[in-house]
Amino acid sequence: MSRILVLNGPNLGRLGTREPDVYGSFTLEDLQKTLDAASGPIEVVVRQTDSEPELMSWLFEAVDTSTPVILNPAAFTHYSYALRDAVAQVTKAGVPLIEVHISNPHAREEFRHTSVISAVATGVIAGFGQDSYLLALAQLTRSA
């Protein structure tokens, strides 16, 4: 493994200013630096989009290149069956995909308690802030 995609869904481009009491004060730039420092020789590519089709195209890229994924689907977590089907293509191709969440969705509003993504993800990590990404990275690089 030489590369990992870290894909982030809607509103996560506002990290650092959006509800810091829930999401912390780190930005996507901070996340990139943190993951780069922890990834060793593995390239970590952090991306964010508010567009469901763009996020899906990145998942298809992961399938086509056998690139492991750390995915924070954000609001798409709870209702995007199209994204769920794209994630299933990743994992059915044998490519690991870890669903991450900065906050613990189960400790928040009831509508956040259900993920349509979790059942087709390789694993789920939630509630550890920026460390959710680091825990996912550690898992993916464990066998690298």
Side-chain angles (χ1 to χ4, degrees), residues 109-126:
E109 303 92 340
E110 188 172 338
F111 76 90
R112 297 184 195 276
H113 296 182
T114 301
S115 168
V116 299
I117 306 298
S118 295
V120 293
T122 305
V124 180
I125 300 171

Side-chain angles (χ1 to χ4, degrees), residues 60-119:
F60 301 147
E61 173 188 337
V63 172
D64 295 343
T65 61
S66 298
T67 303
V69 176
I70 298 170
L71 172 66
N72 186 337
F76 294 143
T77 301
H78 315 293
Y79 67 88
S80 178
Y81 295 108
L83 189 64
R84 179 246 182 248
D85 290 348
V87 168
Q89 288 182 52
V90 174
T91 57
K92 286 182 180 185
V95 178
L97 180 145
I98 299 177
E99 177 186 353
V100 301
H101 298 282
I102 297 164
S103 66
N104 177 355
H106 300 285
R108 298 184 62 197
E109 303 92 340
E110 188 172 338
F111 76 90
R112 297 184 195 276
H113 296 182
T114 301
S115 168
V116 299
I117 306 298
S118 295

